[in-house]
Amino acid sequence: DFSNSLFMQPAQFRKVQILGPAVFEHTDFADGGWFSGSRFNAAAFDNSRFGNPASFTDCEFLGSASFAQAVFQTSCGFEGAQFRKSVNLSKVEINGAAWFCDVQFAQPPDLNGTRVRGGGDFKEIMQTARVEKQPGNNAQQGMQSCVEGS
């Protein structure tokens, strides 16, 4: 459990496998975080702050993943990530670009209140939203209304 931690240097969690819940709630990644190629069961990054770029490229999330109310001061990348269960990206603030190229979502992500100020690649999110037209699905509407500067 890394809740309420402060990482002054870039957090390096590349190619790790966390078997239990990965809890990084209220964590300050002052110089960014690198989780590329890692494998998580449940993961919680709620209310965390990434001061520099964050990379979740090629990560696999076997359980639910939540980034609710996280702040990415610059950019974040989720290229090639796989989300096997629910994904909560609600009220996330991204002050740079967000990259979701080749992401696989088992369910449409929750994007309620999310803001992206620097554009990016949202093709997979939009495709997921088009496939899953169900009451309460806000993925497509959320992405259309939350991206600034694209």
Side-chain angles (χ1 to χ4, degrees), residues 48-127:
S48 290
R49 184 186 83 83
F50 295 85
N52 274 322
S55 175
F56 294 88
T57 302
D58 297 323
C59 283
E60 183 176 16
F61 296 88
L62 301 172
S64 61
S66 183
F67 293 85
Q69 297 182 347
V71 175
F72 295 89
Q73 290 297 123
T74 60
S75 62
C76 61
F78 289 87
E79 301 97 322
Q82 300 173 26
F83 293 94
R84 306 285 186 204
K85 302 276 182 180
S86 63
V87 185
N88 185 350
L89 295 167
S90 65
K91 298 182 181 176
V92 170
E93 181 180 326
I94 303 167
N95 293 315
W99 305 100
F100 289 91
C101 181
D102 298 324
V103 174
Q104 296 176 21
F105 293 104
Q107 302 172 19
D110 181 351
L111 299 165
N112 185 35
T114 293
R115 293 280 177 242
V116 180
R117 291 186 172 82
D121 183 336
F122 307 100
K123 180 180 170 186
E124 276 69 20
I125 290 177
M126 298 304 286
Q127 286 178 341

